[in-house]
Amino acid sequence: MKLLLLSNSTLPGSGFLGAAKPLIGRDLTPGQSVVFIPFAGVTQSWDAYTNKVRDALADLQLEITGVHSLADPLAAIASADAIMVGGGNTFNLLKECRMRGLLKPIAAAVKKGAQYIGWSAGANLACPTIRTTNDMPIVDPGGFDALNLFPRQINPHFTNALPTGHQGETREQRIRELLVLSPELEVIGLPEGNWIEMHDGEAFCHGPHATLLFKAGEDAVALTAGQRLL
């Protein structure tokens, strides 16, 4: 399997998918087919979201099609060179994928060789569950189980910063709550600007910031760019 899991889509000073485009272009070639999953988009239409991705990656000359527009989405997923999953609301993303019967076909396609590219909610969907999303549960997704392509939980947009005067929990405290109830889990705090690449069972973290690995009852481990996760 080949996975590219990004914490976020946009960085200060770069356009939408600006930082991700060189990574995507390194692995995909002009003319290859990409099925885009836009269901995390809630405040924009799925057509608009698909067009936004297509425009951002226009230089790569990929054939990007929104899965919602396809007459036979299962066949398109099965034959795609890549499955791309956008960010937004993870609960809506999972609900729509489950309701449309896309979870197993996506997982099967990736296991057979299609590349998986996901940012934010799309990175969450690749995990065993979506329990480490930051999103508000605006819909009932019918369960938290996700694609289980990446064996650890990811918390995208990870930061422990709190606004001045804010009395709520830090992100690490929220992750620790999960680990008290499910100590068998391992959670990766993926800061903005960082990403994970997985190929043939090996995974490495990348980016300008430390990636944090959380385990129950242990201090967080700070991983630098290029360190192996799996």
Side-chain angles (χ1 to χ4, degrees):
M1 292 190 297
K2 195 169 187 178
L3 312 179
L4 174 61
L5 307 175
L6 302 114
S7 180
N8 58 306
S9 61
T10 308
L11 289 172
S14 68
F16 177 66
L17 293 179
K21 183 161 64 171
L23 302 172
I24 297 170
R26 181 193 61 196
D27 295 327
L28 298 177
T29 57
Q32 287 193 300
S33 62
V34 178
V35 173
F36 176 60
I37 313 295
F39 302 134
V42 176
T43 57
Q44 60 185 324
S45 73
W46 296 334
D47 283 341
Y49 199 177
T50 303
N51 289 333
K52 184 178 180 180
V53 171
R54 192 181 289 126
D55 290 345
L57 301 179
D59 293 348
L60 302 183
Q61 301 179 47
L62 301 171
E63 297 296 327
I64 301 174
T65 307
V67 72
H68 65 289
S69 68
L70 293 166
D72 191 346
L74 301 187
I77 288 170
S79 63
D81 295 302
I83 310 296
M84 190 176 292
V85 186
N89 187 277
T90 312
F91 291 90
N92 200 62
L93 170 63
L94 181 56
K95 176 192 174 184
E96 292 289 339
C97 286
R98 177 169 285 126
M99 182 178 67
R100 296 163 186 263
L102 302 183
L103 294 174
K104 288 183 179 180
I106 290 172
V110 175
K111 290 174 182 177
K112 289 181 180 178
Q115 182 171 6
Y116 183 96
I117 302 167
W119 56 91
S120 190
N124 277 133
L125 193 71
C127 298
T129 78
I130 65 162
R131 294 168 69 191
T132 47
T133 179
N134 303 306
D135 299 332
M136 186 177 290
I138 60 174
V139 294
D140 181 354
F144 296 150
D145 290 348
L147 292 171
N148 198 23
L149 295 170
F150 186 75
R152 288 174 170 163
Q153 292 294 136
I154 295 172
N155 179 243
H157 307 281
F158 178 82
T159 177
N160 252 351
L162 289 177
T164 301
H166 182 74
Q167 300 301 313
E169 290 82 359
T170 65
R171 189 72 59 77
E172 179 170 354
Q173 287 172 321
R174 291 300 193 193
I175 292 172
R176 294 295 180 189
E177 291 175 341
L178 171 64
L179 293 176
V180 167
L181 297 177
S182 299
E184 74 281 4
L185 297 180
E186 296 182 3
V187 180
I188 296 170
L190 195 64
E192 292 199 346
N194 282 22
W195 68 95
I196 294 169
E197 293 183 70
M198 179 173 170
H199 188 259
D200 293 335
E202 294 184 341
F204 297 85
C205 58
H206 299 277
H209 311 291
T211 294
L212 296 180
L213 175 61
F214 297 97
K215 297 181 182 181
E218 300 181 19
D219 291 337
V221 177
L223 305 172
T224 56
Q227 279 196 259
R228 185 171 175 173
L229 291 169
L230 300 171

